[in-house]
């Protein structure tokens, strides 16, 4: 009887595994606490409970996740709202199934005490080569600055060497590293885009419209389990960090728990609605319109992108 029971349990487990829908998720950057909710949803079994067998992979620095999504190498990815709008303008039919970010964490940091607002024509500003720098283009055009943009993969060393006059940074990532570098970045040295009418929400989860139409239930399940993962992070930050650090170690990312702890805290702050402090996972129509207007006015897209263009 014991052998029969064990055999039955093995068969049930195998049948359950076969019944799970296999999907791949590739976030827009390397393994770090920025994606803690997805790691938790995977490791705590939230995806499996929703009938999904999720593989989490990470992109190279040379290929955008939009390309990977279009080529079918993943079914879900994350990107910032401005980048999603540009992708839609360029012909990628996207659907936002979950909006994790509700605030912008983008900052512009001046070198050696410089106020970024005083930078002028010819000043060198570091931007990511992988994208996510559209607000700097908008700021540059609207204020007639004439910056010379310098693309980077890792901007901290470039900035600290004095090779650039200012750099873009995320409040949950590079800004934390710069603050650990014993340089003065207080006061007007840090320009917060969110404080200057550029509070455009960032990370959301996207899939192609073709995949959404063919697999609406899987998309809803992925969104539901991911939201649950982020809420679990909020309630159990130390355990969530344990999971993050395992992903960091497995992917050989040079960081430490202190930095990842600060990152998770800031990411969770950015996931809340700035008007009321509540957690929400919906993409707001007015924010899509605001972002589209900025891009269109600066001729970074050929046509205005509407809320319905990138939602269900």
């Amino acid at each position: 009887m014991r052998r029969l029971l064990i055999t039955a349990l093995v068969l049930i487990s195998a049948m359950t595994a076969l019944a799970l829908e296999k999907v791949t998720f590739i976030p827009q950057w390397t393994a770090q606490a920025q994606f803690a909710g997805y790691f938790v949803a995977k490791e705590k079994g939230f995806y499996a409970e929703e009938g999904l067998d999720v593989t989490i992979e990470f992109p190279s620095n040379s290929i955008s996740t939009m390309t990977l999504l279009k080529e079918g190498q993943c079914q879900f990815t994350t990107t910032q709202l401005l980048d999603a709008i540009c992708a839609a303008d360029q012909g990628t039919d996207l659907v936002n199934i979950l909006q994790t970010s509700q605030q912008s964490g983008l900052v512009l940091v001046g070198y050696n005490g410089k106020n970024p607002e005083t930078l002028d024509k010819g000043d060198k500003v570091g931007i990511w080569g992988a994208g996510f720098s559209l607000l700097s283009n908008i700021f540059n055009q609207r204020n007639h600055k004439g910056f010379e943009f310098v693309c980077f993969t890792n901007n901290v060393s470039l900035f600290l060497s004095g090779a650039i006059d200012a750099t873009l940074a995320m409040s949950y990532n590079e800004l934390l590293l710069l603050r650990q570098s014993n340089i003065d970045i207080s006061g007007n040295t840090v320009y917060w885009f969110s404080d200057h009418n550029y509070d455009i929400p960032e990370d959301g989860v996207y899939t192609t419209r073709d995949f959404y139409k063919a697999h609406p239930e899987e998309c809803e399940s992925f969104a539901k389990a991911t939201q649950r993962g982020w809420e679990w992070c909020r309630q159990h930050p130390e355990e969530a960090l344990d999971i993050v650090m395992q992903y960091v170690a497995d992917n050989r990312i040079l960081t430490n728990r202190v930095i990842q702890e600060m990152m998770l805290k800031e990411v969770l702050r950015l996931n809340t609605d700035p008007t009321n402090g509540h957690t929400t996972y919906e993409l707001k129509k007015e924010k899509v319109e605001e972002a589209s207007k900025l891009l269109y006015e600066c001729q970074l897209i050929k046509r205005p992108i509407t809320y319905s263009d990138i939602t269900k």
Side-chain angles (χ1 to χ4, degrees), residues 215-226:
H215 305 276
E217 292 182 359
E218 286 85 348
C219 292
E220 296 298 330
S221 294
F222 187 86
K224 180 180 177 181
T226 299

Side-chain angles (χ1 to χ4, degrees), residues 51-65:
L52 299 176
D53 178 7
V54 177
T55 297
I56 299 178
E57 299 178 358
F58 297 94
S60 69
N61 292 329
S62 59
I63 302 177
S64 76
T65 53

Side-chain angles (χ1 to χ4, degrees), residues 228-273:
R228 186 178 171 193
W230 278 114
E231 287 303 308
W232 197 91
C233 288
R234 196 175 296 279
Q235 296 164 7
H236 309 278
E238 288 301 319
E239 294 175 72
L241 278 170
D242 291 340
I243 294 173
V244 168
M245 293 311 295
Q246 186 58 58
Y247 274 79
V248 163
D250 290 345
N251 289 274
R252 300 180 180 180
I253 304 300
L254 295 177
T255 186
N256 58 61
R257 190 181 180 94
V258 173
I259 289 293
Q260 294 303 311
E261 182 177 11
M262 291 190 290
M263 181 183 290
L264 180 59
K265 182 177 180 180
E266 176 64 0
V267 167
L268 291 174
R269 182 187 73 82
L270 295 174
N271 287 1
T272 61
D273 188 328

Side-chain angles (χ1 to χ4, degrees), residues 115-233:
N115 181 345
E117 291 189 89
T118 66
L119 297 175
D120 211 339
K121 185 176 181 179
D123 283 330
K124 295 180 173 65
V125 175
I127 62 173
W128 293 281
F132 318 115
S133 305
L134 288 163
L135 268 183
S136 63
N137 288 320
I138 292 168
F139 174 81
N140 186 45
Q141 288 194 42
R142 297 184 90 199
N143 293 280
H144 310 289
K145 289 292 187 179
F147 292 152
E148 178 184 338
F149 289 116
V150 178
C151 292
F152 59 75
T153 299
N154 185 334
N155 66 329
V156 174
S157 57
L158 190 68
F159 180 82
L160 294 177
S161 71
I164 50 181
D165 300 291
T167 186
L168 286 184
M170 299 307 304
S171 63
Y172 54 79
N173 195 350
E174 294 85 5
L175 184 61
L176 298 177
L177 297 176
L178 291 175
R179 282 176 171 161
Q180 301 297 311
S181 303
N182 294 321
I183 62 171
D184 181 16
I185 54 171
S186 59
N188 292 331
T189 305
V190 180
Y191 176 94
W192 287 78
F193 284 88
S194 59
D195 291 339
H196 294 83
N197 297 317
Y198 295 114
D199 195 10
I200 305 298
E202 294 165 348
D203 290 3
V205 182
Y206 292 85
T207 188
T208 64
R209 193 167 300 278
D210 284 345
F211 185 81
Y212 183 82
K213 287 180 177 179
H215 305 276
E217 292 182 359
E218 286 85 348
C219 292
E220 296 298 330
S221 294
F222 187 86
K224 180 180 177 181
T226 299
Q227 180 174 333
R228 186 178 171 193
W230 278 114
E231 287 303 308
W232 197 91
C233 288

Side-chain angles (χ1 to χ4, degrees), residues 80-94:
Q80 296 185 2
L81 176 57
L82 287 169
D83 291 85
I85 289 174
C86 282
D89 176 65
Q90 294 164 10
T92 303
D93 202 354
L94 296 173

Side-chain angles (χ1 to χ4, degrees), residues 116 297 307:
E297 287 179 350
Y307 179 76

